[in-house]
């Protein structure tokens, strides 16, 4: 079973950028469909982005489309989330999950995936 760990969270000003990474111990993330979800303070987890195993298709929630980019780093064996033009509403704990799916579930169902990491904190504030 894959074990994932997220990194890269930080305090950043509105309009700034961050790059989060999701690394695995054990199996390479290349074999998994990997998703990012987030949980804002006092709110439920919501799906953010996903990259499919079978064809590398990428999906984004409407809230982050055009600002966030998910990618696989084959050298580091990570799945990264590049976040640009950050807003206060992007604040939260970001988690990655990996499953042996061929394709991503719908964005609304990403929170139902298993094998979550412990999360990394992102705070967008001036």
């Amino acid at each position: 079973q894959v074990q994932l760990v997220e990194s890269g969270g930080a305090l950043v000003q509105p309009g700034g950028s961050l790059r989060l990474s999701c690394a695995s111990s054990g199996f390479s993330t290349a074999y998994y469909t990997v998703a990012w979800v987030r949980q804002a303070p006092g709110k439920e987890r919501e799906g953010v982005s996903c990259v499919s195993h079978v064809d590398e298709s990428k999906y984004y929630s409407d809230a982050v489309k055009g600002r966030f980019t998910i990618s696989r780093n084959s050298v580091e064996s990570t799945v990264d989330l590049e976040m640009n033009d950050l807003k206060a509403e992007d604040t939260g704990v970001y988690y990655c999950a990996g499953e042996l799916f061929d394709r991503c579930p719908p964005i609304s169902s990403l929170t139902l995936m298993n094998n979550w990491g412990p999360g990394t904190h992102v705070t967008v504030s001036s």
Side-chain angles (χ1 to χ4, degrees):
Q1 183 172 337
V2 66
Q3 291 183 322
L4 302 174
V5 60
E6 306 88 346
S7 63
L11 170 64
V12 63
Q13 291 186 344
S17 299
L18 278 177
R19 187 176 187 89
L20 307 182
S21 286
C22 174
S24 69
S25 60
F27 297 102
S28 169
T29 56
Y31 297 107
Y32 289 79
T33 284
V34 177
W36 284 93
V37 302
R38 67 186 181 187
Q39 186 166 19
K43 295 188 177 181
E44 295 184 351
R45 286 190 185 186
E46 62 172 348
V48 173
S49 185
C50 184
V51 56
S52 293
H53 162 64
V54 67
D55 61 3
E56 298 295 307
S57 295
K58 301 172 183 179
Y59 303 90
Y60 302 94
S61 69
D62 289 342
V64 307
K65 198 172 295 182
R67 299 188 296 121
F68 289 14
T69 302
I70 192 170
S71 63
R72 293 189 189 270
N73 182 326
S74 59
V75 175
E76 301 289 335
S77 190
T78 61
V79 175
D80 299 338
L81 187 68
E82 181 75 26
M83 306 188 296
N84 298 313
D85 189 23
L86 283 162
K87 305 175 181 181
E89 52 263 42
D90 295 317
T91 293
V93 181
Y94 284 69
Y95 303 88
C96 66
E99 294 261 30
L100 289 172
F101 297 158
D102 283 341
R103 302 184 185 279
C104 291
I107 289 291
S108 59
S109 298
L110 294 182
T111 55
L112 300 178
M113 290 177 65
N114 295 308
N115 303 321
W116 296 104
T120 187
H121 289 256
V122 173
T123 302
V124 184
S125 175
S126 55

